[in-house]
Amino acid sequence: DTEVTQTPKHLVMGMTNKKSLKCEQHMGHRAMYWYKQKAKKPPELMFVYSYEKLSINESVPSRFSPECPNSSLLNLHLHALQPEDSALYLCASSPRGNWRASGSYNEQFFGPGTRLTVL
Amino acid sequence: KQEVTQIPAALSVPEGENLVLNCSFTDSAIYNLQWFRQDPGKGLTSLLLIQSSQREQTSGRLNASLDKSSGRSTLYIAASQPGDSATYLCAVSYNTDKLIFGTGTRLQVFP
């Protein structure tokens, strides 16, 4: 399996709802990432998990809560979002570990994204 | 400040042309550089990764070059096809988990 999968593909939620985004990879990668992307802009990094521990939080509001239950799975829990949070949410993974010597330990592979609309 | 710029912002060409997309970065101490393709509303597809010690990488009709000293990378697309229409993003890494993305080049190849 050489891909990153994300569910759902689309999500519409109200500002009082609680929902979760899910990301999965079975490539044995040990780093996973959440990005937010607005239209015609490059992706913005939100969170990084390295060996199942949160290593980077780019000052993301607490209404976004990441979780990494195991090395293959990454969730993003959403609560009390605002309309401006509507965007494409992308998950990515990278190998880590023994790949460092090859210069590609942090090569990132992206999933197809979840299109989130907050009403 | 570490910044990445891509020129041109948009490009429209007839099928069959050879293309060059440019990526410039302000801090030349990069660890590696990735080129991605993104179709509208979709995720990013990794095209090529060039390590800082490499000068170029090739995959099919794509060739990416890297000149660290001048802070530049180019993506060469040979014999362009309508299916190549997409946004192309370059991203640099400084041996951390953060990728610094360029602003992207929107490519349209018409028949």
Coordinates of all heavy atoms in Angstrom, one line a residue, chain B residues 2-67:
Chain B
Q2 N 13.0 32.8 5.4 CA 13.0 31.8 4.3 C 11.8 31.9 3.5 O 10.7 31.6 3.9 CB 13.2 30.4 5.0 CG 14.5 30.2 5.7 CD 14.5 29.0 6.7 OE1 13.4 28.6 7.1 NE2 15.6 28.5 7.0
E3 N 12.0 32.3 2.2 CA 10.8 32.4 1.3 C 11.1 31.6 0.0 O 12.3 31.5 -0.4 CB 10.6 33.9 1.0 CG 10.1 34.7 2.2 CD 9.8 36.1 1.8 OE1 10.3 36.6 0.8 OE2 9.1 36.8 2.6
V4 N 10.0 31.2 -0.6 CA 10.1 30.5 -1.9 C 9.2 31.1 -2.9 O 8.0 31.4 -2.5 CB 9.7 29.0 -1.7 CG1 9.8 28.3 -3.0 CG2 10.6 28.3 -0.6
T5 N 9.7 31.4 -4.0 CA 8.9 32.1 -5.1 C 8.9 31.3 -6.3 O 9.9 30.7 -6.7 CB 9.5 33.5 -5.4 OG1 9.6 34.2 -4.1 CG2 8.6 34.3 -6.3
Q6 N 7.7 31.3 -7.0 CA 7.6 30.6 -8.3 C 7.2 31.5 -9.4 O 6.3 32.3 -9.2 CB 6.6 29.4 -8.1 CG 7.1 28.3 -7.3 CD 6.2 27.1 -7.2 OE1 5.6 26.8 -6.2 NE2 6.1 26.4 -8.4
I7 N 7.9 31.4 -10.5 CA 7.6 32.2 -11.7 C 7.5 31.3 -12.9 O 8.4 30.4 -13.0 CB 8.7 33.3 -11.9 CG1 8.6 34.3 -10.7 CG2 8.5 34.0 -13.2 CD1 9.8 35.3 -10.7
P8 N 6.5 31.4 -13.8 CA 5.5 32.4 -13.7 C 4.3 31.9 -12.8 O 4.3 30.7 -12.4 CB 5.0 32.5 -15.1 CG 5.2 31.1 -15.7 CD 6.5 30.6 -15.0
A9 N 3.4 32.8 -12.4 CA 2.3 32.4 -11.6 C 1.3 31.6 -12.4 O 0.6 30.7 -11.8 CB 1.6 33.6 -11.0
A10 N 1.2 31.8 -13.7 CA 0.3 31.1 -14.6 C 0.9 31.0 -15.9 O 1.7 31.9 -16.4 CB -1.1 31.8 -14.6
L11 N 0.6 29.9 -16.6 CA 1.2 29.6 -17.9 C 0.2 28.9 -18.8 O -0.4 27.9 -18.3 CB 2.4 28.8 -17.7 CG 3.3 28.5 -18.9 CD1 3.9 29.8 -19.5 CD2 4.5 27.6 -18.4
S12 N 0.0 29.3 -20.0 CA -1.0 28.6 -20.9 C -0.2 28.4 -22.2 O 0.3 29.3 -22.8 CB -2.2 29.5 -21.1 OG -3.1 28.8 -22.0
V13 N -0.1 27.1 -22.6 CA 0.7 26.7 -23.8 C -0.1 25.7 -24.6 O -0.9 25.0 -24.1 CB 2.0 26.1 -23.3 CG1 2.8 27.2 -22.5 CG2 1.9 24.8 -22.6
P14 N 0.3 25.6 -25.9 CA -0.3 24.6 -26.7 C 0.4 23.2 -26.5 O 1.5 23.2 -26.1 CB -0.1 25.1 -28.1 CG 1.1 25.9 -28.0 CD 1.1 26.6 -26.7
E15 N -0.4 22.2 -26.7 CA 0.1 20.8 -26.5 C 1.4 20.6 -27.3 O 1.6 21.1 -28.4 CB -0.9 19.9 -27.0 CG -0.6 18.4 -26.9 CD -1.7 17.5 -27.3 OE1 -2.7 18.0 -27.9 OE2 -1.7 16.3 -27.1
G16 N 2.4 19.9 -26.7 CA 3.6 19.6 -27.4 C 4.8 20.4 -27.1 O 5.9 20.1 -27.3
E17 N 4.5 21.6 -26.4 CA 5.6 22.5 -26.1 C 6.4 21.9 -24.9 O 5.9 21.2 -24.0 CB 5.1 23.9 -25.7 CG 4.8 24.7 -26.9 CD 4.9 26.2 -26.6 OE1 5.2 26.6 -25.4 OE2 4.5 27.0 -27.5
N18 N 7.7 22.3 -24.9 CA 8.6 22.0 -23.8 C 8.5 23.2 -22.8 O 8.6 24.3 -23.2 CB 10.0 21.7 -24.2 CG 10.1 20.6 -25.2 OD1 9.4 19.6 -25.0 ND2 11.0 20.7 -26.1
L19 N 8.4 22.9 -21.5 CA 8.1 24.0 -20.5 C 9.2 24.0 -19.5 O 9.8 23.0 -19.1 CB 6.8 23.7 -19.8 CG 5.6 23.5 -20.7 CD1 4.4 23.1 -19.8 CD2 5.2 24.7 -21.5
V20 N 9.4 25.2 -18.9 CA 10.3 25.3 -17.8 C 9.5 26.1 -16.7 O 9.1 27.3 -16.9 CB 11.6 26.1 -18.1 CG1 12.4 26.3 -16.9 CG2 12.4 25.3 -19.2
L21 N 9.4 25.5 -15.5 CA 8.8 26.2 -14.4 C 10.0 26.5 -13.4 O 10.9 25.7 -13.2 CB 7.8 25.3 -13.7 CG 6.7 24.7 -14.6 CD1 5.7 24.0 -13.8 CD2 6.0 25.8 -15.4
N22 N 9.9 27.7 -12.8 CA 11.0 28.2 -12.0 C 10.6 28.3 -10.5 O 9.5 28.6 -10.2 CB 11.5 29.6 -12.4 CG 12.0 29.5 -13.9 OD1 13.1 28.9 -14.1 ND2 11.3 30.1 -14.8
C23 N 11.6 28.0 -9.7 CA 11.4 28.0 -8.2 C 12.7 28.7 -7.6 O 13.8 28.2 -7.9 CB 11.2 26.6 -7.7 SG 11.2 26.5 -5.9
S24 N 12.5 29.8 -6.8 CA 13.6 30.4 -6.2 C 13.4 30.4 -4.7 O 12.3 30.6 -4.2 CB 13.7 31.9 -6.7 OG 13.9 31.9 -8.1
F25 N 14.5 30.3 -4.0 CA 14.5 30.3 -2.5 C 15.6 31.2 -2.0 O 16.7 31.3 -2.5 CB 14.6 28.8 -1.9 CG 15.6 28.0 -2.6 CD1 16.9 27.9 -2.1 CD2 15.3 27.2 -3.7 CE1 17.9 27.1 -2.7 CE2 16.2 26.4 -4.4 CZ 17.5 26.3 -3.9
T26 N 15.2 31.9 -0.9 CA 16.1 32.9 -0.3 C 17.3 32.4 0.5 O 18.4 32.9 0.5 CB 15.3 33.9 0.5 OG1 14.6 33.2 1.5 CG2 14.3 34.7 -0.4
D27 N 17.1 31.3 1.2 CA 18.1 30.7 2.0 C 18.6 29.4 1.3 O 17.9 28.4 1.2 CB 17.5 30.3 3.4 CG 18.5 29.7 4.4 OD1 19.7 29.4 3.9 OD2 18.2 29.6 5.5
S28 N 19.9 29.4 0.9 CA 20.4 28.4 0.1 C 20.8 27.1 0.8 O 21.1 26.1 0.2 CB 21.6 28.9 -0.8 OG 22.6 29.2 0.1
A29 N 20.7 27.1 2.2 CA 21.1 26.0 3.0 C 20.0 24.9 3.1 O 19.7 24.4 4.2 CB 21.5 26.5 4.4
I30 N 19.5 24.6 1.9 CA 18.3 23.6 1.9 C 18.8 22.2 2.2 O 20.0 21.9 1.9 CB 17.5 23.7 0.6 CG1 18.3 23.2 -0.6 CG2 17.0 25.1 0.4 CD1 17.5 23.0 -1.8
Y31 N 17.9 21.4 2.7 CA 18.2 20.0 2.9 C 17.8 19.2 1.6 O 18.4 18.3 1.1 CB 17.5 19.5 4.1 CG 17.7 18.0 4.4 CD1 18.9 17.5 4.9 CD2 16.7 17.1 4.3 CE1 19.1 16.2 5.2 CE2 16.9 15.8 4.6 CZ 18.1 15.3 5.0 OH 18.3 14.0 5.3
N32 N 16.5 19.5 1.2 CA 16.1 18.9 -0.1 C 14.9 19.8 -0.6 O 14.5 20.8 0.1 CB 15.6 17.5 0.1 CG 14.5 17.2 1.1 OD1 13.7 18.1 1.3 ND2 14.6 16.1 1.8
L33 N 14.5 19.5 -1.8 CA 13.5 20.3 -2.5 C 12.5 19.3 -3.2 O 13.0 18.3 -3.8 CB 14.1 21.2 -3.5 CG 13.1 22.2 -4.3 CD1 13.9 23.5 -4.6 CD2 12.6 21.6 -5.5
Q34 N 11.2 19.5 -3.0 CA 10.2 18.6 -3.6 C 9.4 19.4 -4.6 O 9.1 20.6 -4.4 CB 9.3 18.0 -2.6 CG 9.7 16.7 -2.0 CD 8.6 16.1 -1.1 OE1 8.5 16.3 0.1 NE2 7.8 15.3 -1.7
W35 N 9.1 18.8 -5.7 CA 8.1 19.3 -6.7 C 6.9 18.5 -6.6 O 6.9 17.3 -6.5 CB 8.7 19.3 -8.1 CG 9.6 20.3 -8.5 CD1 11.0 20.3 -8.4 CD2 9.3 21.7 -8.9 NE1 11.5 21.5 -8.8 CE2 10.5 22.3 -9.1 CE3 8.1 22.3 -9.2 CZ2 10.5 23.7 -9.6 CZ3 8.1 23.6 -9.7 CH2 9.3 24.3 -9.9
F36 N 5.7 19.2 -6.5 CA 4.4 18.6 -6.4 C 3.5 19.1 -7.5 O 3.7 20.2 -8.1 CB 3.7 19.0 -5.1 CG 4.4 18.5 -3.8 CD1 5.2 19.3 -3.1 CD2 4.1 17.2 -3.3 CE1 5.8 18.9 -2.0 CE2 4.7 16.8 -2.1 CZ 5.6 17.6 -1.5
R37 N 2.5 18.2 -7.8 CA 1.5 18.6 -8.7 C 0.2 18.6 -8.0 O 0.0 17.6 -7.1 CB 1.4 17.6 -9.9 CG 0.2 17.7 -10.7 CD 0.0 16.5 -11.6 NE -1.3 16.6 -12.3 CZ -1.5 16.4 -13.6 NH1 -0.4 16.2 -14.4 NH2 -2.7 16.5 -14.1
Q38 N -0.7 19.5 -8.2 CA -2.0 19.5 -7.6 C -3.1 19.8 -8.6 O -3.1 20.9 -9.2 CB -2.1 20.5 -6.4 CG -3.4 20.4 -5.6 CD -3.4 21.3 -4.4 OE1 -2.8 22.4 -4.3 NE2 -4.2 20.9 -3.4
D39 N -4.1 18.9 -8.7 CA -5.2 19.1 -9.6 C -6.3 19.8 -8.7 O -6.3 19.7 -7.5 CB -5.8 17.8 -10.1 CG -4.8 17.1 -11.0 OD1 -4.5 17.7 -12.1 OD2 -4.2 16.1 -10.7
P40 N -7.2 20.6 -9.4 CA -8.1 21.4 -8.6 C -8.9 20.6 -7.6 O -9.5 19.6 -7.9 CB -9.0 22.0 -9.7 CG -8.2 22.0 -10.9 CD -7.3 20.8 -10.8
G41 N -8.9 21.1 -6.3 CA -9.7 20.4 -5.3 C -9.1 19.1 -4.8 O -9.8 18.4 -4.0
K42 N -7.9 18.7 -5.2 CA -7.3 17.4 -4.9 C -6.1 17.6 -4.0 O -5.7 18.7 -3.7 CB -6.9 16.7 -6.2 CG -8.0 16.5 -7.2 CD -9.1 15.6 -6.7 CE -10.2 15.4 -7.8 NZ -11.3 14.6 -7.3
G43 N -5.6 16.5 -3.6 CA -4.3 16.5 -2.8 C -3.1 16.8 -3.7 O -3.2 16.9 -4.9
L44 N -1.9 16.8 -3.0 CA -0.7 17.0 -3.7 C -0.1 15.7 -4.1 O 0.0 14.8 -3.3 CB 0.3 17.8 -2.9 CG 0.2 19.3 -2.8 CD1 -1.1 19.7 -2.1 CD2 1.4 19.9 -2.0
T45 N 0.4 15.6 -5.3 CA 1.1 14.4 -5.8 C 2.6 14.7 -5.9 O 3.0 15.7 -6.6 CB 0.6 14.0 -7.2 OG1 -0.8 13.7 -7.1 CG2 1.4 12.8 -7.7
S46 N 3.4 13.9 -5.2 CA 4.9 14.2 -5.2 C 5.4 13.8 -6.6 O 5.2 12.6 -7.0 CB 5.5 13.4 -4.1 OG 6.9 13.6 -4.1
L47 N 6.1 14.7 -7.2 CA 6.7 14.4 -8.6 C 8.1 14.0 -8.5 O 8.6 13.0 -9.0 CB 6.6 15.6 -9.5 CG 5.1 16.1 -9.8 CD1 5.2 17.4 -10.5 CD2 4.4 15.0 -10.5
L48 N 8.9 14.8 -7.8 CA 10.4 14.6 -7.7 C 10.9 15.2 -6.4 O 10.4 16.2 -5.9 CB 11.1 15.3 -8.9 CG 10.9 14.7 -10.3 CD1 11.3 15.6 -11.3 CD2 11.7 13.4 -10.4
L49 N 11.9 14.5 -5.8 CA 12.6 15.1 -4.7 C 14.1 15.2 -5.1 O 14.6 14.2 -5.6 CB 12.4 14.2 -3.4 CG 13.2 14.7 -2.2 CD1 12.3 14.5 -0.9 CD2 14.5 13.9 -2.0
I50 N 14.7 16.3 -4.9 CA 16.1 16.5 -5.1 C 16.8 16.8 -3.8 O 16.4 17.7 -3.1 CB 16.4 17.7 -6.0 CG1 15.6 17.6 -7.3 CG2 17.9 17.7 -6.4 CD1 15.8 18.8 -8.2
Q51 N 17.7 16.0 -3.5 CA 18.5 16.2 -2.2 C 19.5 17.3 -2.5 O 19.9 17.6 -3.6 CB 19.3 14.9 -1.9 CG 18.3 13.7 -1.6 CD 19.1 12.4 -1.5 OE1 20.2 12.4 -1.1 NE2 18.4 11.4 -1.9
S52 N 20.0 17.9 -1.4 CA 20.9 19.1 -1.6 C 22.2 18.8 -2.3 O 22.8 19.6 -2.9 CB 21.2 19.7 -0.2 OG 21.8 18.7 0.6
S53 N 22.6 17.5 -2.2 CA 23.8 17.1 -2.9 C 23.7 16.7 -4.4 O 24.6 16.5 -5.0 CB 24.4 15.8 -2.2 OG 23.5 14.8 -2.2
Q54 N 22.4 16.7 -4.8 CA 22.1 16.4 -6.2 C 22.0 17.6 -7.1 O 21.6 18.7 -6.6 CB 20.9 15.5 -6.3 CG 21.0 14.2 -5.5 CD 19.7 13.4 -5.5 OE1 18.7 13.9 -5.4 NE2 19.9 12.0 -5.6
R55 N 22.2 17.4 -8.4 CA 22.0 18.5 -9.3 C 20.7 18.3 -10.1 O 20.1 19.4 -10.5 CB 23.2 18.5 -10.3 CG 24.5 18.7 -9.7 CD 24.7 20.2 -9.4 NE 24.7 21.0 -10.6 CZ 25.1 22.3 -10.6 NH1 25.4 22.9 -9.4 NH2 25.0 23.0 -11.7
E56 N 20.3 17.1 -10.3 CA 19.0 16.9 -11.0 C 18.4 15.5 -10.7 O 19.1 14.6 -10.3 CB 19.2 17.1 -12.5 CG 20.1 16.1 -13.2 CD 20.2 16.4 -14.7 OE1 19.1 16.7 -15.3 OE2 21.3 16.3 -15.3
Q57 N 17.1 15.5 -11.0 CA 16.4 14.2 -10.9 C 15.4 14.1 -12.1 O 14.9 15.2 -12.6 CB 15.6 14.1 -9.6 CG 16.3 13.8 -8.4 CD 16.6 12.3 -8.3 OE1 16.4 11.6 -9.2 NE2 17.2 11.9 -7.1
T58 N 15.2 12.9 -12.6 CA 14.4 12.7 -13.8 C 13.3 11.7 -13.5 O 13.6 10.7 -12.8 CB 15.2 12.3 -15.0 OG1 16.1 13.4 -15.3 CG2 14.3 12.1 -16.2
S59 N 12.1 11.9 -14.0 CA 11.1 10.9 -14.0 C 10.2 11.1 -15.2 O 9.5 12.0 -15.3 CB 10.2 11.1 -12.7 OG 9.1 10.2 -12.7
G60 N 10.4 10.1 -16.1 CA 9.6 10.2 -17.4 C 9.9 11.5 -18.1 O 11.0 11.8 -18.5
R61 N 8.8 12.3 -18.4 CA 9.0 13.5 -19.2 C 9.4 14.7 -18.3 O 9.5 15.8 -18.7 CB 7.7 13.9 -19.9 CG 7.3 12.9 -21.0 CD 6.0 13.3 -21.7 NE 4.9 13.3 -20.8 CZ 4.2 14.4 -20.4 NH1 4.6 15.6 -20.7 NH2 3.2 14.2 -19.6
L62 N 9.6 14.4 -17.0 CA 9.9 15.5 -16.0 C 11.4 15.4 -15.7 O 12.0 14.4 -15.4 CB 9.1 15.4 -14.8 CG 7.6 15.3 -14.9 CD1 6.9 15.1 -13.5 CD2 7.1 16.6 -15.6
N63 N 12.0 16.6 -15.6 CA 13.4 16.7 -15.1 C 13.5 18.0 -14.2 O 13.1 19.1 -14.6 CB 14.3 16.9 -16.3 CG 15.8 17.1 -15.9 OD1 16.2 18.2 -15.6 ND2 16.6 16.1 -15.9
A64 N 14.0 17.7 -13.0 CA 14.1 18.9 -12.1 C 15.6 19.1 -11.8 O 16.3 18.1 -11.6 CB 13.4 18.6 -10.8
S65 N 16.0 20.3 -11.9 CA 17.4 20.6 -11.6 C 17.5 21.5 -10.3 O 16.5 22.1 -9.9 CB 18.0 21.4 -12.7 OG 17.4 22.6 -12.9
L66 N 18.6 21.5 -9.7 CA 18.9 22.3 -8.5 C 20.2 23.0 -8.5 O 21.2 22.3 -8.8 CB 18.8 21.4 -7.3 CG 19.1 22.0 -5.9 CD1 18.1 23.0 -5.6 CD2 19.2 21.0 -4.8
D67 N 20.2 24.3 -8.3 CA 21.4 25.1 -8.2 C 21.3 25.8 -6.8 O 20.8 26.9 -6.7 CB 21.5 26.1 -9.3 CG 22.8 26.9 -9.3 OD1 23.5 26.9 -8.2 OD2 23.2 27.5 -10.3

